[in-house]
Amino acid sequence: MDIIEQTRALAREIQKDGRYLKFRVALQAAEEDAGLQDLIGQYNRKRLELQNELRLPESKRDNSRIQAYRQELGAVYLSVMKNPNMAAYNGARAGLSALMRRVTAILEQSANGADPDTADYTAPECSGDCASCAGCR
């Protein structure tokens, strides 16, 4: 079996993993949740309205409208994130992402000469300064 065939076999095993299965179930539930999809649509519309206002020349911008859009956007965002299906989706996505970071780290380290039997993912330590960070996920 060549390396590509082995990779495809690994991909099939990932799709059997509980984290992947949990992600797929959560994704389907989120996609089928009409209320959640409506909230996501509202969020996208509000974001577009805000972006359109911010694209105007400064002399034509309405700062009170910008502030209102930002408040509305924040409120809709909170509603989206509080939705149980969105929370389940985010949790399941985080679990699958953690698996994929580990798999990728093992592959990358091994390709750089590390022992495949001991190579593993090490989470970066948080300095508390998010300005210089690529993200915790």
Side-chain angles (χ1 to χ4, degrees), residues 1 22 24 33 41 60 70 72-73 76 97 106 109 119:
M1 182 180 319
K22 185 177 178 181
R24 295 299 301 178
D33 183 334
K60 293 186 179 184
R70 285 184 172 150
E72 292 169 8
L73 191 62
V76 174
S97 292
I106 293 168
Q109 290 172 29

Side-chain angles (χ1 to χ4, degrees), residues 22-85:
K22 185 177 178 181
F23 170 76
R24 295 299 301 178
V25 168
L27 175 62
Q28 183 174 352
E31 288 176 343
E32 292 175 355
D33 183 334
L36 175 58
Q37 293 306 311
D38 181 58
L39 286 169
I40 291 170
Q42 288 177 41
Y43 177 83
N44 288 332
R45 284 188 296 279
K46 291 294 176 193
R47 188 185 58 178
L48 184 59
E49 290 170 353
L50 175 59
Q51 288 173 344
N52 288 339
E53 188 68 29
L54 290 171
R55 285 188 186 119
L56 294 173
E58 277 193 56
S59 61
K60 293 186 179 184
R61 285 185 196 164
D62 182 339
N63 288 329
S64 63
R65 186 180 299 162
I66 290 171
Q67 185 62 27
Y69 286 148
R70 285 184 172 150
Q71 288 176 348
E72 292 169 8
L73 191 62
V76 174
Y77 177 80
L78 286 176
S79 295
V80 168
M81 299 314 284
K82 287 181 181 178
N83 178 287
N85 285 322

